[in-house]
Amino acid sequence: MTKIIYHRITGSEVQSGLKFFGLTISQSSFDHSGDRLPDLAVGSKGRVVLLRSRPIVMVKAEVLFSPNQIPTQNVDCSKPLENTAAICFTMSRVSTVNAAQARIDYTLTLDASRKSPTNRAYVSGKQQEQSGSVTLDLRNRQCSTVKFIIEACPEDALNVLSNELKFIFDGLPLNTNLRPSLAPQSQTATIFPLGFEINCGTDNRCVDNLKVDFGFTRSSVVKVGIDEFLHVTVTVENGGENSYNSHVILTYPAGLSYRKFTSQQGRIECNSLDSEDDLSRGWTDCTIDKPIFKSKTKASFIVSYGIDTNSQFEKEIFITANATSGNQEHAPTSELYKRKSINVKYSIFMTFASSLSYNNFTFGKNDLKKPVQQSVKVSNDIRALNFIVVIKVPVKLGEKDIWVDLSSLQISDCQRGNDEEPSVRDFVPKIQKNKVVDCSVARCRVFKCNSFLKRLQSRTYEISANISSQWIEQIGLQSTKFLLTSTATVEYDQSQYIYFSTVSNNNPPVHKLEAVVEVYSEANFTKEIIGGCLGGLAFLALLTAGLYKAGFFESKYKQMINDNAEDGPDPGTDGSPSPAEK
């Protein structure tokens, strides 16, 4: 079947000044030029124009790739794959002509459906296009080669690379000065696909069987203000046919921030976007063994999220994991989605401060009383919360009251609870050894003080009462010092809060309120006086005896006689001789 092509020719295209061009046309076509192409005689006013036919040719374009499929068994994703494209052109005649020549200018665009930076193939310099030119004739097929690079493990290995070849035809004149024309049916733009190796059985349909799971590593609770990280361990396995472009996408709440991932098995790459408000959730997208998660394989990795100290979560937070792939089908037994929750506790920290008080008593005097004033200051350091201050005060040792009037023992804004019995009944040996009277040996009165403190606020609780001396004698120590010890601690909602502590149990501290009680025996000076007198007399006797033995008294006596003889007689008042003269 002959295809008729209509072509309108104006006189100005042939020669300027022609009038009534096309006034007459020859009844039949003749090959006046002898080139085997029909010529056409066209008349105009005063002239006849002979129009010669230009040769019509077809050009076929081909692109052949080597290798003709992209390998998917590459285990080293850092080394790109090399490929070569052979670009070939063949010119054939449509009209009867023995010779024709043309110049072809072409452009090959690799992975034309993708634009940088998402394209998977490129020539040097990350360019997608390669241009060139060839000269064609009717005798030879002309080819040129282009070397290019394909990503070793592209994100999408299920869809082929659509490579587009475009060319421009420019007919060249021969000796007869005829330029060939390109037949309209010639395609000047053609897509040449390059696909990835597919291993999906005889039906060439890949049905994967993905199963995803995850757990929280190292902790069963999120401890805000204590833990730095929440570690999520993810496992995914493919029990079916090859899975292409496989991903696991995790979602997490605001307050968690993506820090890093650690691959345990398989080739894993993760990127993440944290939530910027409380309404949306963050997500972490991890590729699994890109480009193909092969059949009967498994992958595992750990995603670490930072925990913002100032975060306000619900009582529990949840993480989701969703496995996806580019496969059109998943096996019915696939487990593509998991959602798990973990409890949240907020760290709290409080400090206690108190002063040491002092009292003394005389042993054996059981009717004494002394005023005692103690205070404990509780400071809240991290976050505002409701809590209870628990103060325990020893009130009875054995059968004796420690305080003069137990009803007067009150703490402002605190409620009295039930008394607690001591764990040690035989208290004397323990007190004599440790010199401590506390709730382990004495009955204690419990006071509970409901409180609310904002961050960095504090409150002071005071104990003011009269201490009795009647309980001291039963300890059996007449002269000693010991500590009368009360305690203060805090209670709180342990389902919501956790105490910040270097100790593994994270229990709040028990603060000691200590009062020094000194006991001394009553002074008795009778024995001391008698002993002093007897000692003085004994000392005097010893001193006298020593002087006598030394001749102290004899020498003194002789000296006195000599002194009197030298002074002469001393007559008495009655005229009688003096006693010395006699």
Side-chain angles (χ1 to χ4, degrees), residues 209-316:
N209 187 356
L210 301 179
K211 294 185 178 181
V212 66
D213 198 4
F214 69 92
F216 301 104
T217 311
R218 305 177 188 173
S219 179
S220 60
V221 63
V222 175
K223 294 175 283 188
V224 179
I226 298 178
D227 294 337
E228 293 185 21
F229 297 100
L230 174 63
H231 302 284
V232 181
T233 300
V234 182
T235 59
V236 57
E237 59 181 320
N238 179 19
E241 296 178 306
N242 287 350
S243 181
Y244 292 82
N245 195 21
S246 306
H247 292 249
V248 171
I249 300 175
L250 303 174
T251 69
Y252 53 94
L256 297 182
S257 57
Y258 173 79
R259 296 296 178 85
K260 65 177 181 178
F261 76 92
T262 304
S263 177
Q264 294 182 313
Q265 183 179 348
R267 295 193 311 274
I268 311 296
E269 291 291 337
C270 296
N271 59 80
S272 192
L273 180 64
D274 296 333
S275 171
E276 296 182 355
D277 52 56
D278 293 334
L279 301 178
S280 61
R281 292 175 60 83
W283 57 265
T284 302
D285 187 352
C286 298
T287 60
I288 312 298
D289 282 359
K290 184 177 67 175
I292 298 178
F293 187 25
K294 294 182 176 61
S295 173
K296 312 302 181 185
T297 57
K298 182 178 181 179
S300 64
F301 55 97
I302 299 174
V303 181
S304 300
Y305 297 101
I307 304 172
D308 186 356
T309 303
N310 298 319
S311 297
Q312 291 295 327
F313 299 107
E314 300 292 336
K315 290 186 177 181
E316 63 178 18

Side-chain angles (χ1 to χ4, degrees), residues 109-343:
T109 303
L110 300 170
D111 201 11
S113 61
R114 310 287 179 91
K115 300 300 180 183
S116 180
T118 60
N119 58 304
R120 295 164 289 174
Y122 47 86
V123 292
S124 60
K126 295 288 185 177
Q127 298 298 317
Q128 287 182 258
E129 295 183 350
Q130 178 69 44
S131 299
S133 62
V134 295
T135 301
L136 283 180
D137 56 33
L138 294 174
R139 294 172 297 177
N140 299 316
R141 182 186 187 205
Q142 296 293 333
C143 295
S144 60
T145 60
V146 175
K147 293 185 179 296
F148 64 97
I149 291 173
I150 304 170
E151 287 186 358
C153 299
E155 185 74 14
D156 181 9
L158 195 61
N159 295 307
V160 299
L161 273 65
S162 297
N163 308 292
E164 185 180 43
L165 178 64
K166 293 182 177 180
F167 68 89
I168 299 174
F169 179 90
D170 183 17
L172 300 176
L174 289 176
N175 296 332
T176 57
N177 293 324
L178 290 178
R179 293 174 178 268
S181 295
L182 185 65
Q185 61 267 34
S186 291
Q187 295 182 356
T188 58
T190 310
I191 297 295
F192 295 92
L194 176 61
F196 293 82
E197 289 179 346
I198 302 295
N199 182 18
C200 294
T202 56
D203 60 359
N204 208 32
R205 291 171 57 251
C206 289
V207 180
D208 58 26
N209 187 356
L210 301 179
K211 294 185 178 181
V212 66
D213 198 4
F214 69 92
F216 301 104
T217 311
R218 305 177 188 173
S219 179
S220 60
V221 63
V222 175
K223 294 175 283 188
V224 179
I226 298 178
D227 294 337
E228 293 185 21
F229 297 100
L230 174 63
H231 302 284
V232 181
T233 300
V234 182
T235 59
V236 57
E237 59 181 320
N238 179 19
E241 296 178 306
N242 287 350
S243 181
Y244 292 82
N245 195 21
S246 306
H247 292 249
V248 171
I249 300 175
L250 303 174
T251 69
Y252 53 94
L256 297 182
S257 57
Y258 173 79
R259 296 296 178 85
K260 65 177 181 178
F261 76 92
T262 304
S263 177
Q264 294 182 313
Q265 183 179 348
R267 295 193 311 274
I268 311 296
E269 291 291 337
C270 296
N271 59 80
S272 192
L273 180 64
D274 296 333
S275 171
E276 296 182 355
D277 52 56
D278 293 334
L279 301 178
S280 61
R281 292 175 60 83
W283 57 265
T284 302
D285 187 352
C286 298
T287 60
I288 312 298
D289 282 359
K290 184 177 67 175
I292 298 178
F293 187 25
K294 294 182 176 61
S295 173
K296 312 302 181 185
T297 57
K298 182 178 181 179
S300 64
F301 55 97
I302 299 174
V303 181
S304 300
Y305 297 101
I307 304 172
D308 186 356
T309 303
N310 298 319
S311 297
Q312 291 295 327
F313 299 107
E314 300 292 336
K315 290 186 177 181
E316 63 178 18
I317 61 175
F318 68 91
I319 305 290
T320 68
N322 188 33
T324 66
S325 74
N327 294 42
Q328 294 181 350
E329 291 186 59
H330 304 291
T333 56
S334 296
E335 297 177 7
L336 303 177
Y337 180 81
K338 286 291 175 68
R339 182 184 189 274
K340 292 187 178 181
S341 299
I342 184 170
N343 291 331

